[in-house]
Amino acid sequence: MIKTIFINPPSEKGRKLIRNFDCATESKGDYLYQPYDFLLLSSHFEDEEFELIDAIAENLNFQQTMSFIDQRQANYFIVAMADTNWSEDFNFLRHLRERYPQKAIFVFGDAFIDKNTIELIKKYANGVFSNPLEISVETLDSARFDDWISEAGFVSENTYSRSDLKKPKQVSINYPKHHRFLLKNYKWPFSRHFKYTTVFTAWGCPYSCSYCVVAKFPNIYRPYEEILSELDNIKSSGLKEIYMGDRSFGLPRSNTIELLKGMISRKYNFSWSTYFHPNQYDPELLELMRQSGCHTLIIGIESHNFKSLKKYGRHMKEDRFYALLKHAKKIGIDICGDFIIGLPNETREDIHKTIKLSKELNIDYASFNIAAPLAGSSLREEAKKDGRIAPGEENHFDSFGYHKVLSNGVLTGEEILNLRNQAVKDFYFNPRYLFKSLFRIHSLEHLTIQIQEMLQILLKTK
Ligand code: SF4
């Protein structure tokens, strides 16, 4: 019997939205991530108890999505929502409530870090999930259409301001239903195989960079034995490619070391990639990551001026950063650097220096993100205080600049968007980079993925 439908709502404008608990964005290339928070939620249900309707991946419109929902007769719904697409997502929720006034509806998304948004949806939903790991299905099963739930696993008064938010917490879950999340439209840009799945060794983030929404989320990790048994199942299903979905892979260190040793001794031979904070680097850890199949790391470099990031609570150890780059190059791990364009008071010259650094570091990929005042970030608070964001104008920002880009006090939004696009072109579309890229290709499958991504980056960068 179907208990619930996981709903990733449609975008009538065809936006390739990625809606998660802790962030939401627009695909900057051809990729579209597997909806990995729904994947984690699936661990709480039996196979026959849930259905997924991913209107973004399947390119469905409002009517088609509703008709899918109508045919299923589920007891309650779980809906992903995004701050960057707030008007449309909120409308979808209101329609769903009108159509199903007697059923419980649960939601999640980055917009709910803002308390005002929670107040706004109370009339239409029955609770906001705070993380996908600590949900009790009994609570969901027994929720009435007029309840408001704020117990463990749901957002309550102090969810994002608890003093112990970053204290490591071990949480166990059942097996996420990977085989139900393998649509061919799910693409991870760093994959070496078309088909991939996502595994979390930890969820949330131990760090607190104030410009980042994820900083507001807890620091949860899973025991390595449980992850190994999940990997056993993935291996037997024939999947070869994994995105380790951690925001900062490697913590707690002892748990990670045991996991990596297990992956090596069980001879999985997975090909995998992950986000990694340079401060986590040590030679033993990186060697084990490589031996267990890690081929790409995405690291936040952010700016040419590391010291300027301290005011946002980001303390990057420069010596470790450079040692990591050197070691990764030596053992054949590719690096994607994440950069932020347009932090408050950055000048045109600052941004040019960041672009220059991105090219000088000899990294393999770069992602240039506009400094966006997202819900829960210090950038939003700052902009509201100094009047760059008027009341009621908070939503619809993202790191891609789809709807609008905020001035940083020195440059206009349009100038920042142009500089971001310039950065993409300077990094990717030069003969040196393209020539170097040829030597990174591992197979025809890998080449196809890379060409598809490059073409989309080109098309999306004006
Ligand atoms: S380490 Fe990365 S994910 Fe974590 S808070 Fe900082 S920028 Fe965000």
Side-chain angles (χ1 to χ4, degrees):
M1 183 196 74
I2 292 192
K3 288 185 176 180
T4 187
I5 304 179
F6 298 165
I7 305 170
N8 196 17
S11 155
E12 293 301 325
K13 289 184 185 145
R15 294 185 72 185
K16 280 180 95 175
L17 290 167
I18 297 160
R19 299 178 176 100
N20 302 317
F21 274 64
D22 56 7
C23 69
T25 187
E26 175 103 14
S27 168
K28 297 179 181 78
D30 189 46
Y31 63 86
L32 181 69
Y33 304 165
Q34 204 180 27
Y36 46 69
D37 283 333
F38 275 132
L39 172 61
L40 284 173
L41 280 171
S42 74
S43 67
H44 305 289
F45 295 91
E46 298 300 328
D47 245 340
E48 63 283 3
E49 289 178 339
F50 76 95
E51 287 266 6
L52 165 73
I53 169 97
D54 188 338
I56 300 288
E58 298 189 71
N59 206 11
L60 303 179
N61 63 25
F62 177 84
Q63 305 300 348
Q64 291 165 318
T65 308
M66 281 299 172
S67 136
F68 178 98
I69 295 167
D70 291 345
Q71 285 162 24
R72 294 312 186 278
Q73 305 278 320
N75 295 348
Y76 50 87
F77 308 114
I78 302 177
V79 185
M81 299 179 75
D83 193 69
T84 179
N85 202 49
W86 181 250
S87 307
E88 193 177 14
D89 289 4
F90 187 40
N91 246 337
F92 181 87
L93 179 70
R94 284 192 292 207
H95 276 105
L96 191 66
R97 169 51 77 219
E98 256 171 43
R99 215 163 170 117
Y100 293 101
Q102 305 290 322
K103 293 195 193 246
I105 304 176
F106 306 102
V107 296
F108 66 79
D110 57 343
F112 303 111
I113 300 171
D114 186 335
K115 285 184 183 164
N116 297 330
T117 314
I118 294 186
E119 288 309 312
L120 192 66
I121 59 122
K122 276 190 173 167
K123 208 169 131 193
Y124 309 97
N126 300 84
V128 177
F129 289 153
S130 61
N131 73 70
L133 303 170
E134 295 181 292
I135 307 294
S136 145
V137 172
E138 288 70 41
T139 305
L140 307 187
D141 288 349
S142 59
R144 284 171 40 87
F145 68 93
D146 52 357
D147 287 341
W148 176 256
I149 300 172
S150 56
E151 61 186 50
F154 286 84
V155 170
S156 62
E157 198 50 36
N158 68 348
T159 297
Y160 301 110
S161 55
R162 284 183 357 234
S163 56
D164 63 348
L165 191 67
K166 296 294 167 182
K167 193 171 157 200
K169 182 177 183 187
Q170 184 175 295
V171 171
S172 281
I173 54 170
N174 295 324
Y175 180 67
K177 309 295 180 292
H178 291 274
H179 56 286
R180 302 282 302 278
F181 290 80
L182 299 176
L183 289 182
K184 80 171 183 358
N185 285 350
Y186 295 145
K187 291 175 189 163
W188 169 240
F190 303 107
S191 279
R192 295 195 171 169
H193 303 278
F194 289 120
K195 235 187 202 181
Y196 85 100
T197 197
T198 313
V199 173
F200 282 84
T201 79
W203 192 91
C205 184
Y207 292 96
S208 304
C209 316
S210 70
Y211 48 74
C212 172
V213 185
V214 186
K216 291 281 177 192
F217 285 79
N219 178 11
I220 299 175
Y221 72 96
R222 300 171 58 205
Y224 73 90
E225 301 91 335
E226 178 184 302
I227 304 161
L228 286 172
S229 97
E230 182 176 342
L231 292 173
D232 283 344
N233 278 313
I234 293 174
K235 180 72 188 170
S236 60
S237 74
L239 281 162
K240 296 177 187 152
E241 183 76 37
I242 291 178
Y243 162 42
M244 293 289 187
D246 304 29
R247 299 302 186 203
S248 176
F249 183 86
L251 288 170
R253 189 179 184 281
S254 54
N255 194 55
T256 310
I257 295 285
E258 290 308 320
L259 170 69
L260 296 171
K261 285 183 175 168
M263 288 174 73
I264 296 163
S265 67
R266 292 180 194 208
K267 299 191 170 56
Y268 291 138
N269 291 323
F270 285 127
S271 153
W272 64 275
S273 49
T274 192
Y275 279 84
F276 191 70
H277 194 302
N279 289 9
Q280 287 329 120
Y281 166 68
D282 71 63
E284 184 197 6
L285 179 67
L286 198 71
E287 288 288 341
L288 288 173
M289 287 168 72
R290 183 71 192 112
Q291 285 167 35
S292 64
C294 175
H295 57 72
T296 305
L297 295 179
I298 306 120
I299 57 177
I301 301 172
E302 324 293 43
S303 162
H304 75 98
N305 184 350
F306 296 163
K307 288 194 177 70
S308 71
L309 300 172
K310 285 188 181 162
K311 63 172 173 286
Y312 300 106
R314 187 172 181 89
H315 302 273
M316 192 147 98
K317 295 176 181 155
E318 269 188 62
D319 51 343
R320 286 214 197 181
F321 167 67
Y322 286 106
L324 165 63
L325 291 193
K326 197 170 161 201
H327 193 171
K329 186 66 53 197
K330 188 171 156 212
I331 60 178
I333 294 183
D334 289 346
I335 298 285
C336 172
D338 268 0
F339 296 90
I340 306 180
I341 302 294
L343 280 164
N345 300 318
E346 266 192 338
T347 61
R348 187 177 288 276
E349 197 193 351
D350 288 325
I351 295 174
H352 280 304
K353 281 185 186 163
T354 297
I355 299 172
K356 189 164 171 272
L357 176 73
S358 73
K359 296 197 288 183
E360 284 172 356
L361 287 174
N362 196 19
I363 53 178
D364 306 277
Y365 311 91
S367 173
F368 297 95
N369 304 291
I370 290 167
L374 305 175
S377 69
S378 59
L379 302 187
R380 181 179 286 194
E381 288 319 305
E382 219 176 293
K384 275 163 77 175
K385 247 186 235 157
D386 65 26
R388 277 177 296 132
I389 296 184
E393 293 294 314
E394 296 92 343
N395 308 112
H396 301 114
F397 286 101
D398 71 85
S399 60
F400 188 46
Y402 181 86
H403 276 297
K404 52 187 178 179
V405 179
L406 188 71
S407 154
N408 71 347
V410 177
L411 299 162
T412 64
E414 198 185 342
E415 285 171 323
I416 293 172
L417 181 61
N418 288 338
L419 282 161
R420 184 259 164 199
N421 290 342
Q422 189 60 51
V424 175
K425 287 183 214 155
D426 280 8
F427 185 88
Y428 283 105
F429 304 117
N430 68 72
R432 193 167 152 251
Y433 178 80
L434 294 170
F435 181 71
K436 211 176 73 176
S437 303
L438 291 176
F439 294 94
R440 227 186 20 235
I441 299 303
H442 293 266
S443 63
L444 188 59
E445 204 177 5
H446 188 209
L447 176 68
T448 313
I449 294 168
Q450 295 276 299
I451 290 175
Q452 286 171 343
E453 288 305 327
M454 290 289 274
L455 286 177
Q456 281 302 315
I457 291 174
L458 181 62
L459 285 172
K460 288 183 176 184
T461 307
K462 290 172 201 131

